[in-house]
Coordinates of all heavy atoms in Angstrom, one line a residue:
M111 N 51.7 157.3 14.8 CA 52.8 158.1 14.3 C 53.5 157.4 13.2 O 53.8 156.2 13.2 CB 53.8 158.3 15.5 CG 53.4 159.2 16.6 SD 54.6 159.4 17.9 CE 54.4 157.8 18.7
R112 N 53.9 158.2 12.2 CA 54.6 157.6 11.0 C 56.0 158.2 11.0 O 56.2 159.4 11.2 CB 53.8 157.9 9.8 CG 52.5 157.2 9.7 CD 52.0 157.2 8.2 NE 50.8 156.4 8.1 CZ 50.8 155.1 8.0 NH1 52.0 154.4 8.0 NH2 49.7 154.4 7.9
T113 N 56.9 157.3 10.6 CA 58.3 157.8 10.4 C 58.5 158.1 9.0 O 57.7 157.7 8.1 CB 59.3 156.7 10.9 OG1 59.1 155.6 10.0 CG2 59.0 156.3 12.3
K114 N 59.6 158.7 8.7 CA 60.0 159.0 7.3 C 60.1 157.7 6.5 O 59.8 157.6 5.3 CB 61.2 159.8 7.2 CG 61.0 161.3 7.6 CD 62.3 162.1 7.5 CE 62.0 163.5 7.9 NZ 63.3 164.3 7.8
A115 N 60.7 156.7 7.2 CA 60.8 155.4 6.6 C 59.5 154.8 6.1 O 59.4 154.3 5.0 CB 61.5 154.4 7.5
N116 N 58.5 154.9 6.9 CA 57.2 154.4 6.6 C 56.6 155.2 5.4 O 56.0 154.6 4.5 CB 56.2 154.5 7.7 CG 56.4 153.4 8.7 OD1 57.0 152.3 8.4 ND2 56.0 153.6 10.0
T117 N 56.8 156.5 5.4 CA 56.3 157.3 4.3 C 56.9 156.8 2.9 O 56.2 156.6 2.0 CB 56.6 158.8 4.5 OG1 56.0 159.1 5.7 CG2 56.1 159.6 3.4
S118 N 58.2 156.6 2.9 CA 58.9 156.2 1.7 C 58.4 154.8 1.3 O 58.3 154.6 0.1 CB 60.4 156.3 1.8 OG 60.8 155.3 2.8
E119 N 58.2 154.0 2.2 CA 57.7 152.6 1.9 C 56.3 152.7 1.2 O 56.0 152.0 0.3 CB 57.5 151.8 3.1 CG 58.9 151.2 3.6 CD 58.7 150.4 4.9 OE1 57.6 150.2 5.3 OE2 59.7 150.0 5.5
N120 N 55.5 153.6 1.7 CA 54.1 153.8 1.2 C 54.2 154.3 -0.3 O 53.3 154.1 -1.1 CB 53.3 154.7 2.0 CG 52.9 154.0 3.3 OD1 53.0 152.7 3.4 ND2 52.6 154.8 4.3
Q121 N 55.2 155.1 -0.6 CA 55.3 155.7 -1.9 C 55.9 154.7 -2.9 O 55.8 155.0 -4.1 CB 56.1 157.0 -1.8 CG 55.4 158.1 -1.0 CD 56.3 159.3 -0.8 OE1 57.6 159.1 -0.9 NE2 55.8 160.4 -0.4
S122 N 56.5 153.7 -2.5 CA 57.1 152.7 -3.4 C 56.0 151.9 -4.0 O 54.9 151.6 -3.5 CB 58.0 151.7 -2.6 OG 58.4 150.7 -3.5
K123 N 56.2 151.5 -5.3 CA 55.2 150.7 -6.0 C 55.3 149.2 -5.7 O 54.5 148.4 -6.0 CB 55.3 150.9 -7.5 CG 54.9 152.3 -7.9 CD 55.0 152.5 -9.4 CE 54.6 153.9 -9.8 NZ 54.7 154.2 -11.3
N124 N 56.4 148.9 -5.1 CA 56.6 147.5 -4.8 C 56.2 147.2 -3.3 O 56.3 148.1 -2.5 CB 58.1 147.1 -4.9 CG 58.6 147.2 -6.3 OD1 57.9 146.8 -7.2 ND2 59.8 147.8 -6.5
F125 N 55.7 146.1 -3.1 CA 55.3 145.7 -1.7 C 56.6 145.4 -0.9 O 57.5 144.7 -1.4 CB 54.4 144.4 -1.7 CG 53.1 144.7 -2.3 CD1 52.6 143.9 -3.3 CD2 52.3 145.7 -1.8 CE1 51.3 144.1 -3.8 CE2 51.0 145.9 -2.3 CZ 50.5 145.1 -3.4
T126 N 56.6 145.9 0.2 CA 57.7 145.5 1.1 C 57.3 144.2 1.8 O 56.2 143.8 1.7 CB 57.9 146.6 2.2 OG1 56.7 146.7 3.0 CG2 58.2 147.9 1.6
R127 N 58.3 143.6 2.4 CA 58.0 142.4 3.1 C 57.0 142.6 4.2 O 56.1 141.8 4.4 CB 59.3 141.8 3.8 CG 59.3 140.4 4.2 CD 60.7 139.9 4.3 NE 61.6 140.8 5.0 CZ 62.0 140.6 6.3 NH1 61.6 139.6 7.0 NH2 62.8 141.5 6.9
E128 N 57.1 143.8 4.8 CA 56.1 144.1 5.9 C 54.7 144.3 5.3 O 53.7 143.9 5.9 CB 56.6 145.3 6.6 CG 57.8 145.2 7.5 CD 59.1 145.1 6.7 OE1 59.0 145.5 5.5 OE2 60.1 144.6 7.2
T129 N 54.6 144.9 4.2 CA 53.3 145.1 3.5 C 52.7 143.8 3.1 O 51.5 143.5 3.3 CB 53.4 146.0 2.3 OG1 54.0 147.3 2.7 CG2 52.1 146.2 1.7
K130 N 53.5 142.9 2.6 CA 53.0 141.6 2.2 C 52.5 140.8 3.5 O 51.4 140.2 3.4 CB 54.1 140.8 1.5 CG 54.4 141.3 0.1 CD 55.5 140.4 -0.5 CE 55.9 140.9 -1.9 NZ 57.0 140.1 -2.4
A131 N 53.2 140.9 4.5 CA 52.8 140.2 5.8 C 51.6 140.9 6.3 O 50.7 140.1 6.7 CB 54.0 140.4 6.8
A132 N 51.5 142.2 6.2 CA 50.3 142.9 6.7 C 49.0 142.5 5.9 O 48.0 142.3 6.4 CB 50.5 144.4 6.7
A133 N 49.2 142.4 4.5 CA 48.1 142.0 3.7 C 47.7 140.6 4.0 O 46.5 140.2 4.0 CB 48.6 142.1 2.2
F134 N 48.7 139.7 4.2 CA 48.4 138.3 4.5 C 47.5 138.2 5.8 O 46.5 137.6 5.9 CB 49.6 137.5 4.7 CG 49.4 136.1 5.1 CD1 49.1 135.1 4.1 CD2 49.5 135.7 6.4 CE1 48.9 133.8 4.5 CE2 49.3 134.4 6.8 CZ 49.0 133.4 5.8
I135 N 48.0 139.0 6.8 CA 47.2 139.0 8.1 C 45.8 139.6 7.9 O 44.8 139.1 8.3 CB 48.0 139.8 9.1 CG1 49.3 139.0 9.5 CG2 47.1 140.0 10.4 CD1 50.2 139.8 10.4
R136 N 45.8 140.7 7.1 CA 44.5 141.4 6.9 C 43.5 140.4 6.2 O 42.3 140.4 6.6 CB 44.7 142.6 6.0 CG 43.4 143.4 5.8 CD 43.6 144.3 4.6 NE 43.8 143.6 3.4 CZ 44.3 144.1 2.2 NH1 44.5 145.4 2.2 NH2 44.5 143.4 1.2
D137 N 44.0 139.7 5.2 CA 43.0 138.8 4.5 C 42.8 137.5 5.1 O 41.8 136.8 4.7 CB 43.6 138.7 3.0 CG 43.5 140.0 2.3 OD1 42.8 140.9 2.8 OD2 44.1 140.0 1.2
T138 N 43.6 137.0 6.0 CA 43.4 135.7 6.6 C 42.9 135.8 8.0 O 42.3 134.9 8.5 CB 44.8 134.9 6.6 OG1 45.7 135.7 7.3 CG2 45.2 134.6 5.2
L139 N 43.2 136.9 8.6 CA 42.7 137.1 10.0 C 42.0 138.4 10.1 O 42.5 139.4 10.6 CB 43.9 137.1 11.0 CG 44.7 135.8 11.0 CD1 45.9 136.0 11.9 CD2 43.9 134.6 11.6
P140 N 40.7 138.5 9.7 CA 40.0 139.7 9.6 C 39.9 140.4 11.0 O 39.6 141.6 11.0 CB 38.7 139.4 9.0 CG 38.6 137.9 9.0 CD 40.0 137.4 9.1
K141 N 40.0 139.6 12.0 CA 39.7 140.2 13.3 C 41.0 140.6 14.0 O 41.0 140.9 15.2 CB 39.0 139.2 14.2 CG 37.5 139.0 13.8 CD 36.8 138.1 14.7 CE 35.3 138.0 14.2 NZ 34.6 137.0 15.1
V142 N 42.1 140.6 13.3 CA 43.4 140.9 13.9 C 43.3 142.3 14.4 O 42.7 143.2 13.9 CB 44.6 140.8 12.9 CG1 44.5 141.8 11.8 CG2 45.9 140.8 13.6
Q143 N 43.9 142.5 15.6 CA 43.9 143.8 16.2 C 45.2 144.5 16.2 O 46.3 143.8 16.2 CB 43.5 143.6 17.7 CG 42.1 143.1 17.9 CD 41.0 144.0 17.4 OE1 41.2 145.2 17.4 NE2 39.9 143.5 17.1
R144 N 45.2 145.8 16.1 CA 46.4 146.6 16.2 C 46.6 147.2 17.5 O 45.6 147.6 18.1 CB 46.4 147.7 15.1 CG 46.7 147.2 13.7 CD 46.5 148.3 12.8 NE 46.7 148.0 11.4 CZ 47.9 148.1 10.8 NH1 48.9 148.6 11.5 NH2 48.1 147.8 9.5
C145 N 47.8 147.3 18.0 CA 48.1 148.0 19.2 C 47.7 149.5 19.1 O 48.1 150.1 18.1 CB 49.6 147.9 19.5 SG 50.1 148.9 20.9
K146 N 47.0 150.0 20.0 CA 46.5 151.4 19.9 C 47.6 152.4 20.3 O 47.4 153.6 20.1 CB 45.3 151.6 20.9 CG 44.1 150.8 20.5 CD 43.6 151.1 19.1 CE 42.3 150.5 18.8 NZ 42.3 149.0 18.7
I147 N 48.7 151.9 20.8 CA 49.8 152.8 21.1 C 50.8 152.9 20.0 O 51.1 154.0 19.5 CB 50.5 152.3 22.4 CG1 49.5 152.5 23.6 CG2 51.8 153.1 22.7 CD1 50.1 152.0 24.9
C148 N 51.3 151.8 19.5 CA 52.3 151.8 18.5 C 51.8 151.5 17.1 O 52.5 151.6 16.1 CB 53.5 151.0 18.8 SG 53.2 149.2 18.7
G149 N 50.6 150.9 17.0 CA 50.0 150.6 15.7 C 50.4 149.2 15.2 O 50.0 148.8 14.1
G150 N 51.3 148.5 15.9 CA 51.7 147.2 15.5 C 50.7 146.2 15.7 O 49.7 146.4 16.4
Y151 N 50.8 145.1 14.9 CA 49.9 144.0 15.1 C 50.0 143.3 16.4 O 51.1 143.1 16.9 CB 50.1 143.0 13.9 CG 49.6 143.5 12.6 CD1 50.5 143.8 11.6 CD2 48.2 143.7 12.4 CE1 50.0 144.3 10.4 CE2 47.8 144.2 11.2 CZ 48.7 144.5 10.2 OH 48.3 145.0 9.0
L152 N 48.9 142.9 17.0 CA 48.9 142.2 18.2 C 48.7 140.7 18.0 O 47.9 140.3 17.2 CB 47.8 142.7 19.1 CG 47.9 144.2 19.6 CD1 46.5 144.6 20.2 CD2 49.0 144.4 20.5
H153 N 49.6 140.0 18.7 CA 49.4 138.5 18.6 C 48.3 138.1 19.6 O 48.2 138.7 20.7 CB 50.7 137.8 19.0 CG 50.7 136.4 18.7 ND1 50.1 135.5 19.5 CD2 51.2 135.7 17.6 CE1 50.3 134.3 18.9 NE2 51.0 134.4 17.8
S154 N 47.5 137.2 19.2 CA 46.3 136.8 20.0 C 46.7 136.3 21.4 O 45.9 136.3 22.3 CB 45.5 135.8 19.3 OG 46.3 134.6 19.0
H155 N 48.0 135.9 21.5 CA 48.4 135.3 22.8 C 49.1 136.4 23.7 O 49.5 136.1 24.8 CB 49.4 134.1 22.6 CG 48.7 133.0 22.0 ND1 47.6 132.3 22.5 CD2 49.0 132.3 20.8 CE1 47.3 131.3 21.7 NE2 48.0 131.3 20.7
S156 N 49.2 137.6 23.1 CA 50.0 138.6 23.9 C 49.3 139.9 23.7 O 49.9 140.9 23.3 CB 51.4 138.7 23.5 OG 51.5 139.0 22.1
I157 N 48.0 140.0 24.1 CA 47.3 141.2 24.1 C 47.0 141.7 25.5 O 46.7 140.9 26.4 CB 45.9 141.0 23.3 CG1 46.2 140.8 21.9 CG2 45.0 142.3 23.5 CD1 44.9 140.5 21.1
S158 N 47.2 142.9 25.7 CA 46.9 143.5 27.0 C 45.8 144.6 26.9 O 45.7 145.2 25.8 CB 48.1 144.1 27.6 OG 47.8 144.7 28.9
I159 N 45.0 144.7 27.9 CA 44.0 145.8 27.9 C 44.5 146.9 28.7 O 44.8 146.7 29.9 CB 42.6 145.3 28.4 CG1 42.2 144.1 27.7 CG2 41.6 146.4 28.3 CD1 41.9 144.2 26.2
D160 N 44.7 148.1 28.1 CA 45.2 149.2 28.8 C 44.2 150.3 29.0 O 43.2 150.4 28.3 CB 46.4 149.8 27.9 CG 47.2 150.8 28.7 OD1 47.3 150.7 29.9 OD2 47.7 151.7 28.0
H161 N 44.4 151.1 30.0 CA 43.5 152.2 30.2 C 43.9 153.4 29.3 O 45.1 153.8 29.3 CB 43.6 152.7 31.7 CG 43.0 151.8 32.7 ND1 43.5 150.7 33.1 CD2 41.8 151.9 33.3 CE1 42.7 150.1 34.0 NE2 41.6 150.8 34.1
K162 N 43.0 153.9 28.5 CA 43.3 155.1 27.7 C 43.6 156.3 28.6 O 44.6 157.0 28.4 CB 42.1 155.4 26.8 CG 41.8 154.4 25.7 CD 40.6 154.9 24.9 CE 40.2 153.9 23.9 NZ 38.9 154.3 23.2
T163 N 42.7 156.5 29.6 CA 43.0 157.5 30.6 C 43.5 156.7 31.8 O 42.8 155.8 32.3 CB 41.8 158.3 31.0 OG1 41.3 159.0 29.8 CG2 42.1 159.3 32.0
R164 N 44.7 157.0 32.3 CA 45.2 156.3 33.4 C 44.4 156.3 34.6 O 43.7 157.3 34.9 CB 46.6 156.8 33.8 CG 47.6 156.7 32.7 CD 49.0 157.2 33.1 NE 48.9 158.5 33.7 CZ 49.8 159.1 34.5 NH1 50.9 158.4 34.8 NH2 49.7 160.3 35.0
K165 N 44.4 155.3 35.4 CA 43.6 155.3 36.6 C 44.0 156.4 37.5 O 43.2 157.0 38.2 CB 43.8 153.9 37.4 CG 43.1 152.8 36.7 CD 43.2 151.5 37.5 CE 44.6 150.8 37.2 NZ 44.7 149.5 37.8
A166 N 45.3 156.7 37.5 CA 45.8 157.8 38.4 C 45.2 159.1 37.9 O 45.2 160.1 38.7 CB 47.4 157.9 38.3
D167 N 44.8 159.2 36.7 CA 44.2 160.4 36.2 C 42.7 160.4 36.2 O 42.0 161.2 35.5 CB 44.7 160.7 34.7 CG 46.2 161.0 34.7 OD1 46.7 161.5 35.7 OD2 46.8 160.7 33.7
G168 N 42.1 159.4 36.9 CA 40.7 159.3 37.0 C 40.0 158.4 36.0 O 38.8 158.3 35.9
G169 N 40.8 157.7 35.2 CA 40.3 156.8 34.2 C 39.6 155.6 34.9 O 40.0 155.1 35.9
L170 N 38.5 155.2 34.3 CA 37.6 154.2 34.8 C 37.9 152.9 34.1 O 38.4 152.9 33.0 CB 36.2 154.5 34.8 CG 35.8 155.8 35.5 CD1 34.3 156.1 35.3 CD2 36.1 155.7 37.0
G171 N 37.4 151.8 34.7 CA 37.6 150.5 34.1 C 36.4 150.2 33.1 O 35.8 149.1 33.2
T172 N 36.1 151.1 32.3 CA 35.0 150.9 31.4 C 35.4 150.5 30.0 O 36.6 150.7 29.6 CB 34.2 152.3 31.2 OG1 35.1 153.3 30.7 CG2 33.7 152.7 32.6
L173 N 34.5 150.0 29.2 CA 34.9 149.6 27.8 C 35.4 150.8 27.0 O 36.3 150.7 26.2 CB 33.7 149.0 27.1 CG 33.9 148.5 25.7 CD1 34.9 147.4 25.7 CD2 32.6 148.0 25.1
D174 N 34.8 152.0 27.3 CA 35.2 153.2 26.5 C 36.6 153.6 26.9 O 37.3 154.2 26.1 CB 34.3 154.4 26.9 CG 32.9 154.3 26.1 OD1 32.8 153.5 25.2 OD2 32.0 155.0 26.5
N175 N 37.1 153.2 28.0 CA 38.4 153.6 28.4 C 39.4 152.4 28.2 O 40.6 152.5 28.6 CB 38.4 154.0 29.9 CG 39.7 154.8 30.3 OD1 40.2 155.6 29.5 ND2 40.2 154.5 31.4
A176 N 39.0 151.4 27.5 CA 39.9 150.2 27.3 C 40.4 150.3 25.9 O 39.7 150.7 25.0 CB 39.1 148.9 27.5
Q177 N 41.7 149.9 25.8 CA 42.3 149.8 24.4 C 43.2 148.6 24.4 O 43.8 148.3 25.4 CB 43.0 151.1 24.1 CG 44.2 151.4 25.0 CD 44.9 152.7 24.6 OE1 44.6 153.3 23.6 NE2 45.8 153.2 25.5
L178 N 43.3 148.0 23.3 CA 44.2 146.9 23.1 C 45.6 147.3 22.8 O 45.8 148.2 21.9 CB 43.7 146.0 22.0 CG 42.3 145.3 22.2 CD1 41.9 144.6 20.9 CD2 42.3 144.4 23.3
T179 N 46.5 146.8 23.6 CA 47.9 147.2 23.4 C 48.8 146.0 23.5 O 48.3 144.9 23.9 CB 48.4 148.2 24.4 OG1 48.4 147.6 25.7 CG2 47.5 149.4 24.5
H180 N 50.1 146.2 23.2 CA 51.0 145.1 23.6 C 51.1 145.0 25.1 O 51.0 146.0 25.8 CB 52.4 145.5 23.0 CG 52.4 145.4 21.5 ND1 52.6 146.4 20.6 CD2 52.3 144.3 20.7 CE1 52.6 146.0 19.4 NE2 52.4 144.7 19.4
P181 N 51.5 143.8 25.6 CA 51.5 143.6 27.0 C 52.5 144.5 27.8 O 52.2 144.8 29.0 CB 51.8 142.2 27.2 CG 51.6 141.6 25.9 CD 51.8 142.6 24.8
Y182 N 53.5 144.8 27.2 CA 54.6 145.4 28.0 C 54.3 146.9 28.4 O 55.0 147.4 29.3 CB 56.0 145.4 27.2 CG 55.9 145.7 25.8 CD1 55.8 147.0 25.3 CD2 55.9 144.6 24.8 CE1 55.8 147.2 23.9 CE2 55.9 144.9 23.5 CZ 55.8 146.2 23.0 OH 55.8 146.4 21.7
Y183 N 53.3 147.5 27.8 CA 53.1 148.9 28.2 C 52.5 149.0 29.6 O 52.8 149.9 30.3 CB 52.0 149.5 27.3 CG 52.5 149.7 25.9 CD1 52.0 149.0 24.9 CD2 53.6 150.5 25.6 CE1 52.4 149.1 23.6 CE2 54.1 150.6 24.3 CZ 53.5 149.9 23.3 OH 54.0 150.1 22.0
N184 N 51.9 147.9 30.1 CA 51.3 147.9 31.4 C 52.4 147.7 32.5 O 52.3 148.1 33.6 CB 50.3 146.8 31.6 CG 48.9 147.3 31.2 OD1 48.6 148.5 31.3 ND2 48.0 146.4 30.8
T185 N 53.5 147.1 32.1 CA 54.6 146.9 33.0 C 55.6 148.0 33.1 O 56.3 148.1 34.0 CB 55.3 145.5 32.7 OG1 55.8 145.6 31.4 CG2 54.3 144.4 32.8
A186 N 55.6 148.8 32.0 CA 56.6 149.9 32.0 C 56.0 151.1 32.7 O 54.8 151.2 32.8 CB 56.9 150.2 30.5
V187 N 56.9 151.9 33.1 CA 56.4 153.2 33.7 C 56.0 154.1 32.6 O 56.7 154.4 31.7 CB 57.6 153.9 34.5 CG1 57.1 155.2 35.0 CG2 58.0 153.0 35.6
K188 N 54.7 154.6 32.7 CA 54.2 155.4 31.7 C 54.3 156.9 32.0 O 54.3 157.2 33.2 CB 52.7 155.1 31.4 CG 52.6 153.6 31.0 CD 51.3 153.4 30.2 CE 50.1 153.5 31.2 NZ 48.8 153.1 30.5
N189 N 54.5 157.7 31.0 CA 54.6 159.1 31.3 C 53.3 159.8 31.2 O 52.3 159.3 30.9 CB 55.6 159.8 30.3 CG 55.3 159.4 28.9 OD1 54.1 159.1 28.6 ND2 56.2 159.5 28.0
Ligands
ZN160 ZN1 52.5 148.4 20.8

């Protein structure tokens, strides 16, 4: 999901602080992972594996149903 703020940042010719940080991470840590829920960068020490399809909805513990997310999504009540 993109906000209007993100759209305007992308249209600017200048790098934002966030873009520079993202480029640094991209070029220095090629295996960096993004959260599949919010799109934010995941720190290697705080990655959680979440079910794409919730177990309550029949989701299995398979690789296909696994996604990397920030840790707090597993502790919060999901809708
Ligand atoms: Zn996230």
Side-chain angles (χ1 to χ4, degrees):
M111 286 183 287
R112 291 197 174 278
T113 65
K114 289 182 178 179
N116 281 337
T117 300
S118 63
E119 283 178 7
N120 288 340
Q121 291 172 342
S122 170
K123 292 183 180 178
N124 296 318
F125 291 126
T126 62
R127 193 158 49 102
E128 289 75 17
T129 300
K130 289 179 181 177
F134 178 82
I135 292 172
R136 183 198 62 193
D137 290 348
T138 57
L139 297 172
K141 292 183 180 178
V142 69
Q143 297 292 334
R144 284 175 179 266
C145 174
K146 295 301 188 297
I147 293 177
C148 72
Y151 287 109
L152 294 171
H153 192 280
S154 59
H155 294 301
S156 58
I157 291 176
S158 180
I159 308 298
D160 190 31
H161 286 78
K162 291 180 184 176
T163 302
R164 297 184 310 164
K165 287 182 282 189
D167 293 334
L170 301 175
T172 60
L173 183 60
D174 282 347
N175 197 38
Q177 63 182 353
L178 296 176
T179 69
H180 289 114
Y182 41 80
Y183 295 115
N184 272 334
T185 59
V187 176
K188 297 202 290 188
N189 53 22

